[in-house]
Amino acid sequence: IISEIVIKHEDSSNQQITLPDLENLDIKQGDNAVAAQVLIAQKSLLDFIEENNCLLSLSVRHQAIIDRVQETLKVQFIINAGQNAKIGQIEFVGLKTIKPKYLEKVANLEHGNCFKRSIISKSQMMLRQTSLFSSITPDIAKQTDKDGHANVVFNVKESKHRTLKAGINYGTDVSFGANLG
């Protein structure tokens, strides 16, 4: 049985973040101790913090302390939150034929907006869906600048561009014809 649920911070963690109430977690004091439910609660906690804060980095882990005599489990969720951050400069490195302005529109990132890793991942996915690149790797600043901005550099490798060709032809021996390529 779960005897206690605690949320605490690593020593180096940013403690000025919004956290959910313990009552809103997927597990409760008095529930049966099921490992899968603890992992689901950990993921929900991570998602809540990510959604409600602007953080350069974030990790959530858990520690389960078993009391075999009382047949109970104390669950501690341990948070390591980085600096509060906003999106800084966005840069694309490795471009040969594609214009950065087009990619800025596709990536949908704006300088000064709330920094979230999920937003960077979504931008990477949107860039990948263009099929213009064989690789896209975001490189995020380890620290914010004095204004709290974190720069994002997308290292890209352009894939071979595609060409469509269409044509019609006429020959006295075969009449009209069409070709696509």
Side-chain angles (χ1 to χ4, degrees), residues 29-137:
Q29 190 173 338
D31 286 354
N32 287 328
V34 179
Q37 288 303 112
V38 173
L39 293 175
I40 290 169
Q42 179 178 315
K43 174 78 168 97
S44 295
L45 179 59
L46 179 89
D47 292 346
F48 180 92
I49 297 169
E50 163 84 8
E51 181 66 29
N52 293 285
N53 296 278
C54 302
L55 300 171
L56 186 58
S57 63
L58 175 65
S59 68
V60 176
R61 63 183 177 88
H62 74 276
Q63 184 175 29
I65 302 165
I66 299 171
D67 182 340
R68 295 193 189 280
V69 174
Q70 298 293 322
E71 295 182 349
T72 60
L73 179 76
K74 177 181 178 182
V75 179
Q76 294 180 342
F77 293 107
I78 303 160
I79 299 167
N80 190 0
Q83 300 170 287
N84 291 322
K86 297 176 196 158
I87 295 174
Q89 298 298 320
I90 300 118
E91 186 178 352
F92 299 92
V93 174
L95 296 177
K96 294 179 182 171
T97 61
I98 301 167
K99 302 216 182 299
K101 287 283 185 203
Y102 170 72
L103 297 179
E104 288 170 8
K105 289 178 187 176
V106 172
N108 197 26
L109 291 174
E110 291 187 33
H111 182 273
N113 281 0
C114 178
F115 185 95
K116 296 177 190 242
R117 293 283 175 158
S118 60
I119 292 173
I120 304 301
S121 295
K122 183 177 178 184
S123 295
Q124 182 182 12
M125 181 188 68
M126 292 167 68
L127 290 167
R128 189 169 283 129
Q129 287 176 343
T130 65
S131 299
L132 295 172
F133 305 103
S134 59
S135 72
I136 304 164
T137 308

Side-chain angles (χ1 to χ4, degrees), residues 7 19 21 24 84 100 156 168-169 175:
I7 297 175
L19 294 172
D21 292 329
N24 294 334
N84 291 322
V156 299
I168 57 171
N169 56 19
S175 187

